[in-house]
Amino acid sequence: MHNEREASIQPGQAALIVTYGNTTRRFRPLEGDLVVIGRAPICDIALISPEVAPVHCILQHRSDGWRIRDCCGGRHVTRLNGRPIHEAALHDGDVLQIGTFSFEARLPPPRPTCSAATVEDRLSARLKSLQRSRRNLVRLALRLRRKARKANSLPPTLAELEQQAESLRNLQRDYQARMKEYQTRLDQLEQAERELCDARAAFERECIERQIRLEKTEHEAARSVRDRLANLSCLKQEIAGMSSSAPGDQLRAQAPSHAPAAPAGNAFARVGENPARSAAD
């Protein structure tokens, strides 16, 4: 049975596989970026059960994958892998419990960042999905009307017709509000994408400017080191020249001071000799 369910899944298509619950459709594809699950007929995935709220939970497709948000709470809160949740990420193979129904998630890998053409394709697909939901709703209303006419031979009263018309108008207003909300979200997504592109371009320009400044600083530092090494070499040559010429200058400075010393020594010698001669006499 598992192989049969896998065979019905198209490659790259997100879907929910019914593992438990009273339903004839075992394969529920997730079409569009916003999927509403509940008991109301206008929901994208309608589940008939008293334990399912009119709007039970919402599945949202983002750039980083799918996320699920509970809209029911209370005793029949949405459960993911057996744990009650308010909002959580949905991964491939997770078990989702909604009321008496149990689903297994079949999700493709996250898609890359969408281009403007892809966003338009998504919007077109979502619009087609909403149009199909509207047609299904109209068919359901016609079937219910035929069943009511068969049950009661009397034609519907004016009050009943007005009530049905008011219900259809409410559904149409709800549809228009949802379309407006989706368009607003689409505009916000496009604005965020443009801002991200601008920020990335600014960051790349800043990186290039910093790289240029760094290279200029390295060149200046290298030139300064070469200049200092050249100055140091010149200073060493000057010191070596001064040290080689210093001994000759010192000898020339000391020569005049030693010349008169010899006569003085001889005088002292002659003076010393006279007492010796007088003593001998």
Side-chain angles (χ1 to χ4, degrees), residues 209-242:
E209 292 176 357
R210 290 189 177 183
Q211 183 67 25
I212 293 173
R213 289 198 297 268
L214 180 60
E215 293 177 356
K216 184 178 180 180
T217 304
E218 290 179 353
H219 290 321
E220 292 178 353
R223 186 169 60 254
S224 177
V225 169
R226 288 195 299 269
D227 294 341
R228 291 186 179 184
L229 289 176
N231 294 334
L232 182 60
S233 178
C234 295
L235 183 60
K236 286 183 179 180
Q237 293 177 0
E238 292 178 359
I239 292 174
M242 293 175 61

Side-chain angles (χ1 to χ4, degrees), residues 72-92:
C72 175
R75 186 164 59 92
H76 303 300
V77 65
T78 305
R79 294 179 178 271
L80 183 64
N81 296 326
R83 295 181 299 176
I85 61 165
H86 176 68
E87 185 176 357
L90 187 64
H91 303 93
D92 184 40

